[in-house]
């Protein structure tokens, strides 16, 4: 998303009122009668015996499951099954077979929050037969100490080779009117502010929670997106999401707000089908994470563990990246992506840009880019992203334009070879940008040439974008057709040893374990919205519980000059954080791809604070979650991979608080030098965002520090051995 | 299309009854009040001053045109205009400007029915302004002695950069209840038998005229496809079609059968839009051909002339092709495209075909292909098509399967390199086959690799196929999305110097002038249907008036053994022609790509008749249309390009007739040797299809021969100087 698209285009946006016109099919809501098992049930417990899933059939032979945590019910008996074009797989089953097994292994991610991940679960595979159709459907449950994953399995069989999913009936029956941190269900965007409310309040609050977006299509008045974070009045933290979304449509959760039952609401294609499948096939995992401590939710590796191991033999070319960008100055309207105002509409196949009059505001010009290269290289960045380098930006958006970009032709003022050579001479790389304008067919037609162009010119990472309605008529960003494309792009990029950071793509579901060149995604409301009016102060206190469960986010933190008026004198809004909270995000928002998003002038002005961004690691040996409550606060400490230094970040929502940092994670008996970047005594995100202090202290494993966070404030600490 | 798809799949086919369920949007029919011009009209006459188009506005400022031929009205005042998503361009216009011009030129086609084509027309460009919206729409009329072409032009303008066509309002108001040769309107197939009826009978006859097809979607109860051939009771031959269909959706003609007014019915995309356009833009030409002699209709070059000149500088690599194929034995069920029966469903990414058990009926095996190579080379063929050579045919059809073929992996029994080398050693080439199963995204993903594979292995021509519903949800074979693809495939093929013969693609509209590597299309009911129950005897007496107006058809004639039982002993049907009519088709069905479609054994059995197929030219200096009446008979003589020999073909429908061949086209005063292949005295397509005589005669420009044609019979003559 960018500013132009968010502010100028309302024509393609749908609210609930427009639902009937939009082609979106709203799932119908029926009041569910409570399910009950009839006959045999099968129970599977977590390795620590605390979390238990029970599977069985109802009196109608409907498959169902329930989940308990100790003596507390988490998910009441809930139905399973699918509606198919070829006849439903919803009831009339018998249990044909069941098998249990266990796994306890440790695997090594290419990059991550820790250098080794334990994968320890018990598994139950149930084979269900539907005698009336002679078809078999399996269910696999994997139960961990911190959650459950289950999926549908369809073995290769005579009576079921190809099928079309018209609806997935999976339910998650909650026990009450929990507190939820949610964004409204949508087939085309996740770029909404989070709302904290009771489940029963969603219907009332949803219309106000659906900010305009360049592409949006509502699911229903009560639907929410995954991952959704819940908290029970008994203090359980429940999180519902999915893992390993491959060649299937993405799941929203439609809420029956009388009974507090969530039901899977898949994303339809242009003709209302949810997925087309060929056996053998299995759905993505449906996941229910449960803990009694919010810190354990952050420490969970459930989603990653449910994904397949790395698909690549050689991963030596995949590296975490700290980068700057010629970007924030466009987002804030100081400069433009486009090169000229000459064209009434752009025709990249015939327009002669060399003869066009420059508009004088084009940021991706040789001189400006060299200035950024100099600064990025001098400050230890790995790469420099440049947006708006290629022809077509004059009217790239909102026109359902097929041939919108070619991904290889630079503007006349952007010398690809010279700039890459210059960057190389300074020890950094340029980062490629492929905005597709959601013209996916056009992108696929040019993809090989575009990736080869990258290789030929020394690029090894690309930020791709899918702004606006999917140009293929009737398709959605989160439907099977587009989901198939995003992974196609990542797998093809791997053939060229290119890392992908996909914006406006489907939300991640842990696929970065299998395809670690998927080094980042947007798939939520990022820092760019700080320039469109701001994110809510609690936003980054929620994202690690929700969006980040599936994989890293290219949140693009590091806006040290929080005044928009500095860049655009018509805009008097500010970033809704203090300066120090921006620093803390480098620790609290885990990503192997971290941007220093502000412009060089801001970093020069706040050079002492910028030091933290220069110092902070981007790959980790270990992470310790010191304090956490969704929507309220976070304090996280991480140890760099391949080194002895630690970095600590703490943030709060709009309410001031005092964080306690317990340094017991440090090696005992060793003194470390802590550099503490903290909100100043008079700091607040509204009045004094850039009031901060920098203090050096000696700390050891016995140290406990209390650090005051301002309203929407935070702190960052580098702890050097 | 092939037999399996036509016979086994009814599930995706829609009749009119299923229209509401099918996602097809049927244009509404309104009873049109007769239009009348108000105010100024502009008249433009053909170079011979006989055909005249009149343009003007009605009292509502609706643009309209009429067409007259001498003193006869051909098209009564008929409305023009479009409905747009952005506000209609339908009425409220003023004439802002008008310009006339003329052209008389001669151009040289790469291949064709004659070596030089005259392009002689008068042109009127009208610029219309809609003051209420400050938008401009142009109309360009080109009038030839034998017809009219007109199109809408949308110049680049501030108030109209991008627009979505929701309906095209173009009408063709006929003067009465003409006789028509038509196929039912459809968004997905043209593979229907033609019906000859009055316009008023279409509604009644259409349901019976819609044979089942592997993909079909009806337009309305009275819609017909273009080109439609009409004849007035006054003896005028009228033909309505379109020319130069580029990045727009294909037009059907919806008939108001009370008023005999045809209205453009474009093909919708998945969400009911007809076309997405960016200015400057122009629609395809809408064409009305008018003659007073059916032979002039066949001689017309209106459609080609309305297309742009050749887009390629180098055309030396584009050559006409006479070919045989490993094909008829599959179509007739003697053998199979598929290799094995082992798989419940095929997964070309994971199945190990090398370990699969062959089904014993796979035609594309090394031994069989070598036999065909030997025969094709020994009999002067240029190429040999082999279908079923690549993995995936086990369940390629009817499953909306995305990754259905990869276009580069042969079955274990097909040695690509060895067979191409063997063919080369014999002086011929193999012809590639790319069945896509209408999985267009998958084809585009593999297209570069597939074409490169062809180049690497010595192929230079491909038969591509689009059987079954378009896999992209909600799209149709003739919608803008697919139309865009077909031309993309042709233009990309040109980069590899590959000629394309697209089956099940959109009907041709003369684009072969601009892109002459589009060497053929199917886009109608071809010879394959002779094995599915037969084509009507009048079929090939209609195609040259209709389907062939837009470009050559890969009709695949030459079935000399007309009994299906020879190949498939469960099938006792026969081809619905005599043997000699099959020979005549090489002359009457113009194509630079001509197949000898029967199996070698049949040609060995009828070796003396096969001689004509070996002799007949496939590229022409001159064509003379001796006798013609749509649906009844045709006699055509053609002189080979680069030689002095002539070839004559004559055919009839189910009724016997005596053709008269007037040899006055020959050089005067020179004797030629004519070899006459004629139906035997007792021949008939039902009882004695293979009764024929071969006679040699000396002929000169004074000679007139009467030749009897049997029921669905014909004759062929080679005339050697």
């Amino acid at each position: 998303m960018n500013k132009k698209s968010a502010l100028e285009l309302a024509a393609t946006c749908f609210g609930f009122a427009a639902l009937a016109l939009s082609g979106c099919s709203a799932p119908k809501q029926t009041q569910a009668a409570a399910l009950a098992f009839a006959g045999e049930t099968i129970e599977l417990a977590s390795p620590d015996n605390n979390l238990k899933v029970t599977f069985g059939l109802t009196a109608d032979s409907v498959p169902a499951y329930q989940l308990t945590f100790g003596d507390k019910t988490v998910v009441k008996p809930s139905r399973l099954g699918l509606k198919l074009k070829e006849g439903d797989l919803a009831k009339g089953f018998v249990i044909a077979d069941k098998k249990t097994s266990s796994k306890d292994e440790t695997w090594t991610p290419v990059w991550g929050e820790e250098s080794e991940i334990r994968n320890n679960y018990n598994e139950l595979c149930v084979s269900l037969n539907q005698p009336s159709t002679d078809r078999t459907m399996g269910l696999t449950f994997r139960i961990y100490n911190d959650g459950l994953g289950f999926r549908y399995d369809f073995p290769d069989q005579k009576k079921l080779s190809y099928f079309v999913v018209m609806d997935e009936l999976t339910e998650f029956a909650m026990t009450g009117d929990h507190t939820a941190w949610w964004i409204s269900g949508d087939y085309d965007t996740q770029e909404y502010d989070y709302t904290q409310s009771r489940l029963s309040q969603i219907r009332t609050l949803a219309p106000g929670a659906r900010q305009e977006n360049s592409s949006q299509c509502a699911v229903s008045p009560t639907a929410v997106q995954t991952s959704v974070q819940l908290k029970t009045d008994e203090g359980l933290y429940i999180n519902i999401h999915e893992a390993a979304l491959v060649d299937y449509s993405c799941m929203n959760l439609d809420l029956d707000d009388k009974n507090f039952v969530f039901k899977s609401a898949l994303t339809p294609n242009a003709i209302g089908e949810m997925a087309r499948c060929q056996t053998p096939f299995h759905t993505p995992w449906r996941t229910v994470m449960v803990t009694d401590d919010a810190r354990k939710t952050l420490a969970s590796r459930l989603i990653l563990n449910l994904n397949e191991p790395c698909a690549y033999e050689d991963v030596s070319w995949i590296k975490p990246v700290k980068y700057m960008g010629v970007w924030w100055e466009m987002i804030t309207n100081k400069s433009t992506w486009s090169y000229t105002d000459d064209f009434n509409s752009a025709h990249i196949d015939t327009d002669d840009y060399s003869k066009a009059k420059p508009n004088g505001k084009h940021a991706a010009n040789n001189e400006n880019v060299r200035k950024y290269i100099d600064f990025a290289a001098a400050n230890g960045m790995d790469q420099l992203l440049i947006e708006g380098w290629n022809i077509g930006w004059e009217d790239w958006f909102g026109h359902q334009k097929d041939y919108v970009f070619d991904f290889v032709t630079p503007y006349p003022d952007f010398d690809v070879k010279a700039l890459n050579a210059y960057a190389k001479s300074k020890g950094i790389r340029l980062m490629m940008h492929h905005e597709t304008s959601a013209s996916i067919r056009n992108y696929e037609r040019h993809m090989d040439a575009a990736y080869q162009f990258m290789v030929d010119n020394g690029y090894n990472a690309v930020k791709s974008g899918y702004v606006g309605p999917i140009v293929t008529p009737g398709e959605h960003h989160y439907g099977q057709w587009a989901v198939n494309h995003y992974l196609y792009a990542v797998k093809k990029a791997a053939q060229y040893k290119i890392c992908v950071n996909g914006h406006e793509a489907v939300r991640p579901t842990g696929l970065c374990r299998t395809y670690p060149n998927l080094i980042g995604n947007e798939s939520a409301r990022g820092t760019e919205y700080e320039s469109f009016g701001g994110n809510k102060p609690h936003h980054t206190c929620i994202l690690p519980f929700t969006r980040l469960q599936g994989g890293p986010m290219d949140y693009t933190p590091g806006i040290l000059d929080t005044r928009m008026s500095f860049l655009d004198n018509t805009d008097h809004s500010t970033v809704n954080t203090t300066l120090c909270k921006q620093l803390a995000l480098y620790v609290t928002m885990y990503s192997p791809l971290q941007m220093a998003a502000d412009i060089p002038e801001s970093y020069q002005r706040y050079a002492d604070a910028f030091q933290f961004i220069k110092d902070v690691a981007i790959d980790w040996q270990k992470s310790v979650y010191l304090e956490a409550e969704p929507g309220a606060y976070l304090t996280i400490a991480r140890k760099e991979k391949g080194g002895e230094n630690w970095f600590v970040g703490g943030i709060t929502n709009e309410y001031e608080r005092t964080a306690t940092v317990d340094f017991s994670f440090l090696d005992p008996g060793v003194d470390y030098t802590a550099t503490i970047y903290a909100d100043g005594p008079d700091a607040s995100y509204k009045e004094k965002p850039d009031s901060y202090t920098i203090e050096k202290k000696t700390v050891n494993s016995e140290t406990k520090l209390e650090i005051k966070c301002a309203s929407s404030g935070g702190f960052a600490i580098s702890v050097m051995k």
Side-chain angles (χ1 to χ4, degrees), chain A:
Chain A
M1 258 299 301
N2 75 10
K3 186 161 194 168
K4 187 176 180 189
S5 54
L7 299 182
E8 296 181 6
L9 191 94
T12 59
C13 303
F14 314 126
F16 297 123
L19 213 59
L21 294 171
S22 72
C24 308
S25 56
K28 279 180 197 152
Q29 202 164 100
T30 50
Q31 194 146 342
L35 278 191
F37 295 117
E40 178 197 14
T41 60
I42 310 167
E43 190 178 278
L44 181 75
S46 59
D48 67 2
N49 207 38
N50 187 49
L51 198 62
K52 285 177 186 150
V53 62
T54 305
F55 173 79
L57 300 174
T58 69
D60 284 341
S61 303
V62 169
Y65 75 103
Q66 73 173 9
L67 185 67
T68 58
F69 181 92
D71 60 358
K72 299 186 179 81
T73 298
V74 178
V75 180
K76 297 195 292 183
S78 297
R79 81 175 297 159
L80 298 164
L82 298 104
K83 290 197 175 187
L84 305 187
K85 203 178 237 178
E86 297 77 9
D88 297 347
L89 285 167
K91 62 180 180 179
F93 288 106
V94 295
I95 297 174
D97 195 16
K98 60 181 179 184
K99 284 193 188 112
T100 57
S101 61
S102 295
K103 186 163 238 173
D104 191 357
E105 64 175 4
T106 299
W107 58 276
T108 307
V110 176
W111 41 258
E113 292 183 81
E114 53 196 352
S115 59
E116 294 205 316
I117 293 176
R118 185 176 177 193
N119 183 26
N120 181 23
Y121 61 83
N122 293 324
E123 180 176 281
L124 165 67
C125 294
V126 182
S127 178
L128 300 175
N129 185 258
Q130 192 179 46
S132 63
T133 64
D134 195 19
R135 295 182 300 180
T136 296
M137 176 176 83
L139 278 159
T140 300
F141 297 89
R142 285 187 187 168
I143 195 152
Y144 293 75
N145 291 343
D146 55 9
L148 168 70
F150 63 89
R151 73 182 187 193
Y152 300 90
D153 297 291
F154 305 92
D156 187 15
Q157 56 193 297
K158 283 277 178 222
K159 296 290 177 65
L160 195 66
S161 295
Y162 294 89
F163 61 96
V164 178
V165 178
M166 301 306 291
D167 194 11
E168 186 182 311
L169 304 173
T170 310
E171 291 182 347
F172 306 85
M174 299 291 101
T175 57
D177 191 11
H178 303 331
T179 300
W181 291 265
W182 55 273
I183 55 175
S184 176
D186 205 286
Y187 300 138
D188 280 299
T189 189
Q190 293 136 211
E191 297 182 0
Y192 291 124
D193 266 324
Y194 278 89
T195 302
Q196 173 178 335
S197 80
R198 293 282 177 175
L199 292 175
S200 58
Q201 297 174 297
I202 291 175
R203 184 183 297 273
T204 309
L205 296 171
R210 295 182 58 78
Q211 299 84 32
E212 269 186 15
N213 194 274
S214 63
S215 62
Q216 56 192 150
C217 184
V219 176
S220 84
T222 58
V224 300
Q225 302 193 37
T226 72
S227 116
V228 62
Q229 181 65 44
L230 306 163
K231 187 179 181 183
T232 71
D233 291 346
E234 293 171 306
L236 284 190
Y237 297 87
I238 304 172
N239 184 293
I240 307 178
H241 193 27
E242 64 180 306
L245 171 58
V246 175
D247 209 16
Y248 198 72
S249 63
C250 178
M251 179 175 74
N252 281 272
L253 295 172
D254 197 29
L255 178 67
D256 168 357
D257 55 357
K258 297 283 182 295
N259 300 289
F260 309 121
V261 176
F262 288 113
K263 179 191 156 295
S264 170
L266 298 177
T267 306
N269 70 14
I271 54 175
E273 301 165 345
M274 301 301 175
R276 296 171 175 181
C277 309
Q278 178 186 5
T279 62
F281 182 80
H282 56 75
T283 65
W285 296 95
R286 280 64 185 94
T287 63
V288 185
M289 194 186 295
V290 198
T291 70
D292 55 7
D293 184 329
R295 296 174 300 180
K296 292 183 190 167
T297 297
L298 297 179
S300 175
R301 304 292 175 249
L302 178 69
I303 302 295
L304 288 176
N305 275 328
L306 286 168
N307 274 270
E308 296 297 312
C310 182
Y312 308 139
E313 292 218 349
D314 174 20
V315 292
S316 62
W317 50 277
I318 302 172
K319 307 275 189 210
V321 176
K322 196 185 288 181
Y323 74 107
M324 288 184 68
V326 183
W327 174 75
W328 186 246
E329 63 176 271
M330 285 104 103
I331 282 284
T332 53
N333 274 355
K334 182 186 173 199
S335 53
T336 61
W337 284 266
S338 64
Y339 173 76
T340 180
D341 300 331
D342 270 9
F343 306 134
N344 191 34
S345 72
H347 307 79
I348 61 171
D349 47 348
T350 54
D351 290 333
D352 185 350
Y353 279 89
S354 73
K355 299 207 172 106
K357 185 184 165 201
N359 64 13
K361 289 185 75 184
H362 181 231
N365 68 73
N366 292 323
E367 187 187 354
N368 194 41
V369 172
R370 278 205 186 84
K371 189 191 79 180
Y372 273 85
I373 290 172
D374 289 343
F375 186 86
N379 289 283
M381 299 290 143
D382 301 307
Q383 300 205 3
L384 175 71
L385 166 73
I386 304 113
E387 298 202 356
W389 68 276
N390 57 323
I391 61 170
W393 286 90
E394 283 65 30
D395 63 348
W396 66 283
F397 173 73
H399 305 298
Q400 303 172 309
K401 187 174 177 175
D402 193 285
Y403 186 37
V404 54
F405 291 116
D406 71 2
F407 311 99
V408 296
T409 306
Y411 280 125
D413 59 349
F414 188 86
D415 187 331
V416 174
K417 293 221 176 297
L419 289 170
N420 276 282
Y422 186 71
K424 191 177 178 188
S425 77
K426 298 279 181 170
I428 70 167
R429 284 181 190 263
L430 303 190
M431 185 182 288
M432 177 49 76
H433 184 228
H434 289 169
E435 173 55 49
T436 68
S437 193
S439 184
I440 286 178
R441 174 166 78 172
N442 181 59
Y443 190 36
E444 291 198 0
R445 283 178 174 180
H446 293 84
M447 192 177 279
D448 274 295
Y451 286 159
Q452 188 59 50
F453 178 89
M454 288 178 61
V455 171
D456 293 345
N457 288 289
Y459 297 87
N460 69 358
V462 60
K463 172 181 172 180
S464 55
Y466 298 89
V467 173
I470 298 290
V471 171
T472 300
E475 292 302 319
H476 296 291
H477 281 75
Y478 310 143
Q480 183 184 28
W481 193 88
V483 164
N484 179 296
H485 162 78
Y486 306 129
L487 189 54
Y488 174 79
V490 169
K491 289 160 83 169
K492 188 172 273 289
Q495 295 168 14
Y496 294 85
K497 300 194 172 178
I498 288 169
C499 290
V500 174
N501 163 25
H503 283 226
E504 298 89 18
V506 72
R507 48 187 161 277
T509 56
L511 286 173
C512 57
R513 176 182 177 186
T514 313
Y515 307 101
N517 67 317
L518 176 55
I519 201 168
N521 275 114
E522 185 183 44
S523 309
R525 201 171 158 97
T527 297
E528 60 183 356
Y529 281 87
E530 296 285 14
S531 88
F532 309 160
N535 287 328
K536 290 184 186 172
H538 73 175
H539 192 58
T540 49
C541 299
I542 300 170
L543 286 173
F545 291 94
T546 55
R547 163 63 185 78
L548 268 56
Q549 289 290 350
M553 176 173 178
D554 184 29
Y555 187 72
T556 73
I559 305 302
L560 300 193
D561 190 328
T562 61
R563 298 164 300 160
M564 292 302 105
S565 58
F566 172 62
L567 296 159
D568 175 359
N569 59 19
T570 65
D571 185 349
H572 297 285
S573 69
T574 61
V575 172
N576 284 338
T577 74
T578 65
L579 183 150
C580 279
K581 188 173 179 181
Q582 288 289 321
L583 300 181
L585 296 176
Y586 289 87
V587 182
T588 60
M589 293 286 288
Y590 165 69
S591 178
L593 182 79
Q594 286 287 21
M595 188 178 197
D598 211 337
I599 60 173
E601 289 81 351
S602 299
Y603 291 134
Q604 283 162 337
R605 185 171 318 116
Y606 300 106
D608 55 354
F610 182 49
Q611 187 62 41
F612 180 80
I613 299 176
K614 292 162 66 176
D615 290 341
V616 67
I618 48 174
D619 200 13
W620 308 104
Q621 186 181 326
K622 196 176 170 185
S623 293
V624 182
Y625 304 90
L626 299 169
E627 301 182 307
E629 181 64 13
Y633 57 84
L634 290 173
T635 306
I636 302 175
R638 304 192 199 264
K639 185 181 184 190
E640 66 185 358
K641 195 185 274 183
E644 293 298 324
N645 299 324
W646 287 76
F647 297 87
V648 184
I651 62 173
T652 183
N653 59 14
E654 62 271 42
Y655 301 110
E656 294 181 10
R657 81 179 282 268
T658 299
T660 302
V661 182
D662 178 342
F663 286 89
S664 59
F665 52 80
L666 294 176
D667 289 347
V670 184
D671 278 349
Y672 293 74
T673 303
T675 308
I676 303 162
Y677 304 77
D679 293 327
D682 58 346
S684 81
Y685 79 98
K686 280 198 175 144
E687 302 300 331
K688 277 272 194 181
D690 65 348
S691 168
Y692 61 95
T693 62
I694 303 176
E695 193 183 357
K696 279 193 199 299
K697 272 194 184 161
T698 299
V699 296
N700 59 38
S701 62
E702 313 270 306
T703 309
K704 283 190 182 149
L705 286 183
E706 298 213 323
I707 304 177
K708 189 175 158 254
C709 299
S711 171
S712 200
F715 62 91
I717 313 175
S718 57
V719 189
M720 310 294 195
K721 197 167 190 175

